[in-house]
Amino acid sequence: MEDGYIHSDINVEASKADRSVWLMKCPPVVSKAWQSSAASASADSPPVSKVVVSLDLLQPDDSSALQFTMEMAGSEILNIPKSYSLNMSKDFVPMGIFSESNQGRVAVDGKVEHKFDMKPHHANIEEYRKMCRERTNKSMVKNRQIQVLNNDRGVHMRPMPGMMGFITSNSKDKKKAAPVKGADMKRTRRDRGELEDIMFKLFERQPNWTLKQLVQETDQPPQFLKEILNELCVYNKRGTNQGTYELKPEYKKSVEDTDAGP
């Protein structure tokens, strides 16, 4: 190592370094649908989706007037919304796309020209909400199993020989185990789609939550929870609900819709 840099002999294929690439953040249901299609894809497989670009003919050179919509192919079979809006971000850090093959070959596949956030189109927002509610209800159902033991004498529950010597009857000598504080417990991340369903359910219960309340309700790491909140919610910096999160308008479901639901 010289001058703080690590020199490596890895060769990087850069023939596609100048290729323009679109980076898009999509909902979990769309990502799973694409992965399922890719697993069964062949050379003759049709496209999984198409992008429709709408422009203002009176201002053809105005990039801000462009509107992008994505339509999913085979959405009726997969039971997911068909149309999605693509919101283009103008300010983002320059990024490149890298890939590595199974043989360890590293290549530059292009540079990010546009970055999009994908959300259900306003025409399909009710269908998307219904699908999220159904997934939430399924995730809240606990599957209990009853197992019948062949040995009904309780042999496996008896103390093993030599274990009795470790048990003392003097309660004064027993050291009370220190309780584990909630902040010291290592929280396990849930599946991203499952956590989003739980979040929608919580915001149906009440419209505003603090980060501390949501951590207690979901038992998830705060940093991971913030990533989900930044996608689904807006943070109130002032006003009567200062310091709380609430759903973005496209995800917000009114109380009337809840009462009218099946």
Side-chain angles (χ1 to χ4, degrees):
M1 183 171 67
E2 299 177 1
D3 301 329
Y5 293 93
I6 299 177
H7 299 276
S8 176
D9 295 333
I10 298 177
N11 295 323
V12 179
E13 172 62 39
S15 60
K16 300 179 181 179
D18 294 330
R19 184 177 65 168
S20 296
V21 179
W22 288 9
L23 178 64
M24 183 172 60
K25 182 186 295 183
C26 60
V29 290
V30 177
S31 177
K32 292 178 181 178
W34 283 342
Q35 291 176 3
S36 177
S37 299
S40 58
S42 61
D44 300 330
S45 298
V48 295
S49 60
K50 65 178 180 179
V51 176
V52 180
V53 182
S54 304
L55 54 86
D56 188 351
L57 295 178
L58 299 178
Q59 297 176 335
D61 297 330
D62 186 5
S63 60
S64 61
L66 293 176
Q67 294 184 354
F68 297 86
T69 305
M70 177 169 288
E71 295 183 358
M72 298 286 294
S75 58
E76 298 82 2
I77 301 175
L78 298 174
N79 193 25
I80 61 175
K82 179 180 179 180
S83 299
Y84 296 84
S85 299
L86 302 181
N87 298 330
M88 184 170 62
S89 302
K90 297 181 180 179
D91 299 328
F92 61 91
V93 178
M95 290 177 284
I97 306 299
F98 293 82
S99 64
E100 183 176 2
S101 65
N102 295 333
Q103 292 77 24
R105 183 183 178 185
V106 180
V108 184
D109 290 334
K111 59 182 179 181
V112 177
E113 181 181 4
H114 297 299
K115 183 175 180 290
F116 295 90
D117 288 325
M118 183 177 182
K119 68 178 182 179
H121 197 265
H122 60 83
N124 301 111
I125 192 66
E126 289 299 329
E127 181 183 357
Y128 185 76
R129 287 172 177 170
K130 180 181 178 181
M131 182 186 64
C132 290
R133 290 197 299 268
E134 291 176 353
R135 288 193 309 168
T136 302
N137 294 333
K138 289 181 180 179
S139 65
M140 299 296 286
V141 175
K142 295 182 179 180
N143 296 324
R144 300 180 182 272
Q145 295 182 351
I146 299 177
Q147 182 178 359
V148 179
L149 299 178
N150 295 328
N151 189 333
D152 58 352
R153 301 179 184 178
V155 175
H156 298 294
M157 301 176 65
R158 298 176 184 173
M160 298 297 292
M163 292 293 292
M164 297 301 293
F166 293 100
I167 303 176
T168 174
S169 59
N170 190 355
S171 59
K172 295 182 180 180
D173 296 336
K174 295 181 180 179
K175 295 183 178 179
K176 183 179 291 186
V180 180
K181 297 183 179 179
D184 297 335
M185 296 176 61
K186 185 176 181 181
R187 295 183 171 92
T188 304
R189 289 191 176 192
R190 289 179 177 269
D191 176 72
R192 197 178 190 90
E194 179 184 354
L195 181 56
E196 287 184 0
D197 294 339
I198 295 175
M199 297 291 287
F200 282 124
K201 199 72 174 179
L202 291 173
F203 280 100
E204 286 183 13
R205 190 197 307 174
Q206 68 182 49
N208 295 87
W209 293 84
T210 64
L211 178 61
K212 183 178 180 180
Q213 290 174 331
L214 290 172
V215 170
Q216 294 175 348
E217 289 285 341
T218 61
D219 193 29
Q220 292 296 289
Q223 189 61 36
F224 179 52
L225 201 57
K226 282 185 178 179
E227 296 178 8
I228 305 296
L229 289 171
N230 290 336
E231 295 181 9
L232 304 181
C233 304
V234 292
Y235 182 73
N236 296 308
K237 297 182 179 180
R238 57 181 63 88
T240 56
N241 297 318
Q242 182 180 3
T244 64
Y245 290 89
E246 65 179 75
L247 286 177
K248 292 181 179 179
E250 58 264 28
Y251 297 118
K252 190 173 293 184
K253 190 171 77 68
S254 64
V255 178
E256 289 79 10
D257 291 341
T258 306
D259 296 337

